Amino acid sequence: MKTIMMFLGTRPEAIKMWPLIKALRKKKDIKLIVCATGQHQELLKQVLELFKIEPDISLKIMKVNQKLEEITCEILIEASKLLTKINPNMVLVHGDTTTAFAVGLECFYQGIPIGHIEAGLRTYSIENPFPEEFNRRVLSLISTWHFAPTEEAKNNLLKENISPDKIYVTGNTVIDVIKKSVVEKYNHVELQWANDSRMLLVTMHRRENIGTAMEKIFLAIKKIVEECENVKVIFPIHLNPLIRTLAYRILGDMERIHIIEPLNVIEFHNFMARSYMILTDSGGVQEEAAFLGKPVLVMREVSERMEGIKENVLKLVGTDTDKIHECVLSILNNYQLYKQMCNPTDVYGDGCAGERIANILNEILSK
Ligand code: UD1
Ligand code: UDP
């Protein structure tokens, strides 16, 4: 029996690791130990409860307005104790969060091999997204096995001299989730409210956007709603108090904007499917929207999800108020342009990534 230890800390890690947890739990020669670091508290709990994931180990490290150094140090120390005690054959981390980075660093110190899920995403701009671009590059440097969601991600790794026989192109596990979550019959009081309009779905949370950039984005949204009577906005807001304060100050009084609590992922996917367009700085939302063929304006200067941009379902608009305003209006006022973006694509996967990765891990560990 071989032991795999998996660490997850934030909402997207739990959503995207879930298909893999399910698949690994079916492997009779693998003992899976799931550790939730608690980098997120409520947002993580929401996913764990929804998918009935019961972590074997739960840490509770989150603090309000936590600093990167606090998350890193706490997880490094806790991971050090756990890995020394359990000494797994392999550790799995996901993506580019501080959880993944700090756990990866400790594995490197202890010589424990790392399998990196969602490997190879790059913007090649070290401060965008911050600190994620740094985290993902470090993880590529120290991981043994790289599970790249797309060929483009694999090519990025090859350029960094990662050996091709250690890279597996598997698709993104988030497609496994969204393939099952969107249903034909779905209702919600907020969707009823927005039913008579074009609904723009908004999410916003990137660290590098908090402050001036986010203020400019919110001002653009305000201007769009003021000018377009047939537009309503639903904004499930992140729990970060810095984002909440800013959003309520600029958008809180607008009648046609509903700022609501974070939706669970099944609800969120069904909101996505029923929206007219999505405005976001999220990573995962870009992949999900590409699968649904739902136009997205990405409120960032650069993206690591270039596949969706090439497929024309995602548009990179940056954070300038006038540019966002102009771009949204041009799409709202030009149905042909809008329709060209409604382009469902399987560039991010076929919905079988979890099973695929579990089979590869089983093979690796049986050698
Ligand atoms: C983190 C990840 C980011 C990922 C995002 C997903 C890093 C560096 N960033 O960013 O890559 O896209 O998660 O959402 O790892 N908070 C709560 N309750 C929660 C979660 C957050 O109150 O359940 C508040 C806390 O005040 C916390 C703050 O949000 O201090 C920021 O959380 P943090 O994990 O540091 O950053 P995210 O922006 O969520
Ligand atoms: N999501 C959710 N509820 C919401 C908003 C988003 O469950 O109210 C999901 C979304 O479907 C996606 C994930 O959260 O799967 C994206 O997480 P986030 O944007 O926080 O992080 P990122 O993907 O940018 O790392």
Side-chain angles (χ1 to χ4, degrees):
M1 179 74 82
K2 298 288 170 73
T3 302
I4 294 183
M5 230 179 139
M6 174 191 282
F7 286 80
L8 41 90
T10 65
R11 168 172 67 188
E13 288 168 280
I15 294 169
K16 289 174 164 179
M17 284 296 212
W18 180 58
L20 182 53
I21 295 174
K22 271 195 305 181
L24 282 173
R25 291 253 189 250
K26 287 192 246 161
K27 301 284 177 212
K28 59 178 181 11
D29 296 328
I30 292 177
K31 180 179 177 200
L32 176 68
I33 300 177
V34 176
C35 175
T37 65
Q39 176 179 339
H40 281 177
Q41 212 166 55
E42 301 87 340
L43 290 179
L44 184 63
K45 195 165 164 253
Q46 190 183 39
V47 185
L48 299 178
E49 285 181 357
L50 180 73
F51 292 145
K52 300 190 173 51
I53 305 170
E54 284 179 25
D56 302 278
I57 301 159
S58 283
L59 309 172
K60 290 194 176 57
I61 65 121
M62 198 200 85
K63 291 195 187 84
V64 174
N65 289 330
Q66 57 200 359
K67 292 190 184 143
L68 294 172
E69 38 279 64
E70 291 171 331
I71 320 174
T72 307
C73 291
E74 295 237 18
I75 294 178
L76 194 61
I77 289 168
E78 293 303 324
S80 164
K81 288 187 244 172
L82 287 170
L83 293 172
T84 306
K85 193 168 141 203
I86 297 167
N87 192 24
N89 299 91
M90 175 194 292
V91 163
L92 295 178
V93 292
H94 187 280
D96 51 23
T97 64
T98 301
T99 288
F101 163 66
V103 169
L105 187 59
E106 184 54 30
C107 289
F108 177 63
Y109 290 158
Q110 294 200 25
I112 297 171
I114 303 166
H116 186 202
I117 314 296
E118 201 182 77
L121 276 64
R122 295 289 183 272
T123 61
Y124 294 108
S125 163
I126 196 71
E127 288 179 0
N128 287 290
F130 176 88
E132 289 83 358
E133 176 74 6
F134 169 81
N135 291 345
R136 49 170 88 120
R137 286 203 218 171
V138 170
L139 282 162
S140 296
L141 209 58
I142 58 180
S143 294
T144 305
W145 300 283
H146 311 259
F147 296 92
T150 64
E151 285 294 333
E152 192 151 331
K154 177 181 178 176
N155 288 336
N156 292 337
L157 294 168
L158 291 175
K159 275 188 254 163
E160 291 166 27
N161 294 325
I162 309 275
S163 166
D165 61 339
K166 300 289 182 200
I167 308 171
Y168 304 88
V169 178
T170 60
N172 197 307
T173 52
V174 83
I175 305 302
D176 305 18
V177 182
I178 198 163
K179 252 194 149 167
K180 299 206 173 114
S181 58
V182 177
V183 288
E184 214 169 292
K185 280 197 180 148
Y186 178 81
N187 219 334
H188 192 286
V189 61
E190 293 297 339
L191 290 175
Q192 280 166 16
W193 168 74
N195 203 15
D196 60 352
S197 69
R198 291 171 173 191
M199 189 263 277
L200 306 185
L201 186 62
V202 173
T203 81
M204 204 60 54
H205 76 279
R206 298 244 82 84
R207 260 174 200 263
E208 69 274 11
N209 275 348
I210 293 174
T212 318
M214 208 169 278
E215 186 161 354
K216 287 193 289 177
I217 294 169
F218 291 158
L219 287 171
I221 294 171
K222 183 175 178 184
K223 209 168 152 191
I224 292 158
V225 173
E226 278 169 349
E227 286 174 20
C228 306
E229 281 184 4
N230 64 351
V231 162
K232 284 183 177 171
V233 168
I234 298 183
F235 181 1
I237 194 164
H238 194 283
L239 294 176
N240 190 330
L242 299 172
I243 301 169
R244 293 191 158 223
T245 307
L246 198 61
Y248 280 109
R249 175 162 67 74
I250 298 174
L251 305 172
D253 292 336
M254 308 271 304
E255 243 178 52
R256 278 182 286 111
I257 299 184
H258 275 189
I259 301 177
I260 62 172
E261 289 309 305
L263 295 163
N264 78 40
V265 65
I266 294 177
E267 292 174 318
F268 188 75
H269 287 167
N270 280 283
F271 272 57
M272 287 180 80
R274 287 155 181 83
S275 68
Y276 192 76
M277 187 156 62
I278 298 166
L279 312 185
T280 190
D281 63 2
S282 162
V285 174
Q286 294 178 58
E287 293 148 357
E288 295 162 340
F291 169 78
L292 294 174
K294 195 57 76 175
V296 177
L297 297 191
V298 184
M299 314 272 150
R300 294 163 57 169
E301 302 303 336
V302 286
S303 175
E304 57 295 275
R305 271 92 175 171
M306 294 310 287
E307 300 89 346
I309 292 173
K310 286 178 196 149
E311 293 286 318
N312 200 35
V313 64
L314 315 175
K315 243 191 213 350
L316 205 52
V317 283
T319 59
D320 179 68
T321 307
D322 292 337
K323 194 168 169 214
I324 296 168
H325 170 259
E326 190 188 321
C327 190
V328 172
L329 259 80
S330 69
I331 298 170
L332 286 176
N333 293 332
N334 184 338
Y335 190 63
Q336 206 183 344
L337 192 64
Y338 173 74
K339 268 305 189 195
Q340 281 166 7
M341 291 181 75
C342 297
N343 228 0
T345 160
D346 60 2
V347 277
Y348 291 113
D350 60 0
C352 303
E355 292 283 347
R356 199 170 282 127
I357 297 169
N359 290 341
I360 297 166
L361 290 171
N362 202 30
E363 212 178 298
I364 290 171
L365 287 176
S366 65
K367 277 178 196 157

